[in-house]
Structures are given as C-alpha cells and as structure tokens.
C-alpha cells in the first residue's frame, strides 16, 4: 500500500473552493492527474455517485471507476476507486474554513499487488501531483 497526503491554505472562502473542487467540467484545470471522463463529464458528485475517469500517474494511463463514499457539502469529498491490474485507490479532500481562507487537505491511498512493486515511486509521484494540483486549485479560486 502507498499512502500520500498534501495540504495547502488557500486564500479563498470554503464555498468558493468547494464549488471548484466539485465542478467536474473544470476538473482538468487543476487536477494534474486528470486526463478526461470517458463517458462524458459526470453531473456534480453526491452521495454514492459513480463515475469513470481517465488518469495518468507516473506516466501510466489508467481508467478508474470511482464511487463517492463520503460527501459533506463544503467540508468533505471522498471517493474510492478501482483501476487496472487490481489497483484500488482512495482520495479524500477535507476543507477547513479559516475566515476568508480555507485549508485543503488531501489524503490518498493505493492498494494492490502492482502497487507493492513500485510503492516508493508511486508515493513520490502522487505526492508531487497532489501538491501541484492544490497550487493550481488555489490559483483558480484566488
């Protein structure tokens, strides 16, 4: 298993950050691992929603089927996904309002036999991607 996390204080209110975070039509504007949605852009996420996403991590393409596991508007957006080669993924975005700013924390995990072979590289690559994604998200909502 490989676990990753990133955190950034964004100079924007939580409502504005949440609106961009859950707007799938602009997902690729900030999420650096996102390539596209093979079945078209899904509707706004909600509890138990499912959708497919094409991603790229460590240079490898992957189609992941995501299910929303936790959804608290303005606070938490967490998904669990199934990818190729028996890889299971999880992503959890948590927003903490702080006046006119918001701290965004992202925690992710990757599990499966293929992950154990490259856990170190995957962790480094995914952490870099999360950090860059949060910086891009901050720039969009500032």
């Amino acid at each position: 298993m490989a676990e990753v996390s990133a955190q950034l204080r964004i100079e924007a209110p939580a409502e504005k950050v949440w609106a961009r975070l859950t707007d799938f039509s602009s997902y690729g504007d900030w999420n650096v691992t996102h390539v596209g949605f093979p079945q078209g852009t899904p509707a706004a996420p909600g509890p138990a929603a499912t959708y497919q996403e094409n991603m790229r991590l460590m240079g490898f393409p992957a189609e992941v089927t995501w299910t929303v596991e936790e959804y608290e508007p303005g606070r938490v957006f967490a998904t669990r996904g199934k990818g190729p080669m028996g890889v299971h993924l999880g992503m959890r975005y948590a927003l903490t309002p702080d006046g006119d700013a918001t701290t965004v924390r992202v925690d992710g995990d990757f599990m499966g036999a293929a992950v154990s072979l490259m856990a170190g590289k995957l962790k480094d690559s995914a952490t870099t991607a999360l950090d860059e994604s949060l910086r891009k998200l901050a720039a969009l909502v500032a």
Side-chain angles (χ1 to χ4, degrees):
M1 174 153 79
E3 295 178 325
V4 296
S5 64
Q7 183 171 303
L8 183 68
R9 178 184 162 93
I10 297 177
E11 298 300 323
E15 299 79 27
K16 192 172 183 181
V17 175
W18 180 262
R20 182 61 75 155
L21 178 72
T22 57
D23 176 10
F24 284 153
S25 68
S26 64
Y27 210 54
D29 294 344
W30 63 270
N31 187 329
V32 300
T33 62
H34 177 76
V35 174
F37 295 109
Q39 297 179 343
T41 303
T50 61
Y51 59 95
Q52 291 184 323
E53 178 186 18
N54 288 334
M55 303 175 63
R56 182 172 293 281
L57 190 59
M58 292 181 38
F60 296 105
E63 185 172 296
V64 178
T65 300
W66 294 103
T67 300
V68 177
E69 286 194 326
E70 190 177 355
Y71 188 84
E72 295 177 42
R75 305 287 293 184
V76 177
F77 175 50
T79 56
R80 177 75 37 205
K82 294 179 183 176
M85 298 185 297
V87 173
H88 294 266
L89 308 87
M91 296 300 295
R92 185 178 192 273
Y93 295 86
L95 281 62
T96 304
D98 183 14
D100 289 337
T102 306
T103 298
V104 180
R105 180 177 173 88
V106 187
D107 293 294
D109 61 73
F110 303 82
M111 295 176 283
V115 172
S116 63
L117 299 174
M118 56 185 158
K121 285 186 175 187
L122 177 59
K123 184 174 180 176
D124 291 345
S125 179
T127 299
T128 298
L130 288 179
D131 287 336
E132 184 178 348
S133 293
L134 287 178
R135 285 192 303 272
K136 285 185 162 203
L137 179 62
L140 287 172
V141 298

